[in-house]
Amino acid sequence: QHCKAYAAGGGPFILHDMPDLPEQLLMKLGYLDASDNTCVEEALQVFCDATGNKRMLRQAAACIQDLPGTGSKLARLRSVLLSSEVHGTWQIAPKDGHVRNHLVGKKLLKRTTAPTAEVHKAM
């Protein structure tokens, strides 16, 4: 099961420390991008809500979602990422296959491979 998760995430990778380290991680894991997922606050929320990530953040005593403002949340995530207390195995962003299948089943979408704009319109 773990091997499948690593493969789905593109395998192990290393990010160098930089001021935008959290944003780089969110992009690498698929939570943030330049087209469909551009909201950093939303990307952080989804990242923190992922089961494996939530567990790791809880072990590091990082209550990121309780902090006010995106800047303080990113700063806290950066400190967690640089901490030796976490092993650095993070969960990739969830895919939208279930939503697409549901919309096709309800005849709100013609096919599961429809462009993202069509999926948004169908929702």
Side-chain angles (χ1 to χ4, degrees), residues 4 13 20 29 33 44 50 57 63 71 83 91 99 108 117 121:
K4 182 180 176 183
F13 61 90
D20 66 342
L29 295 177
D33 61 46
L44 274 168
L57 292 168
C63 300
S83 171
Q91 192 172 337
V99 172
L108 297 170
K121 186 176 179 183

Side-chain angles (χ1 to χ4, degrees), residues 49-111:
D49 283 342
T51 305
N53 298 341
K54 184 184 287 188
R55 185 179 319 112
M56 184 130 35
L57 292 168
R58 197 173 27 238
Q59 288 172 352
C63 300
I64 291 174
Q65 292 179 316
D66 294 341
L67 296 171
T70 305
S72 59
K73 292 175 183 180
L74 289 170
R76 182 65 182 123
L77 178 56
R78 184 171 180 269
S79 69
V80 170
L81 295 173
L82 296 173
S83 171
S84 60
E85 295 181 26
V86 293
H87 56 75
T89 303
W90 300 99
Q91 192 172 337
I92 61 171
K95 304 298 182 214
D96 64 354
H98 294 298
V99 172
R100 288 172 179 267
N101 289 335
H102 177 75
L103 293 172
V104 168
K106 294 289 185 181
K107 308 249 188 274
L108 297 170
L109 193 63
K110 291 182 182 180
R111 62 191 196 291

Side-chain angles (χ1 to χ4, degrees), residues 42-53:
E42 183 179 335
L44 274 168
Q45 181 177 349
V46 176
F47 173 83
C48 292
D49 283 342
T51 305
N53 298 341

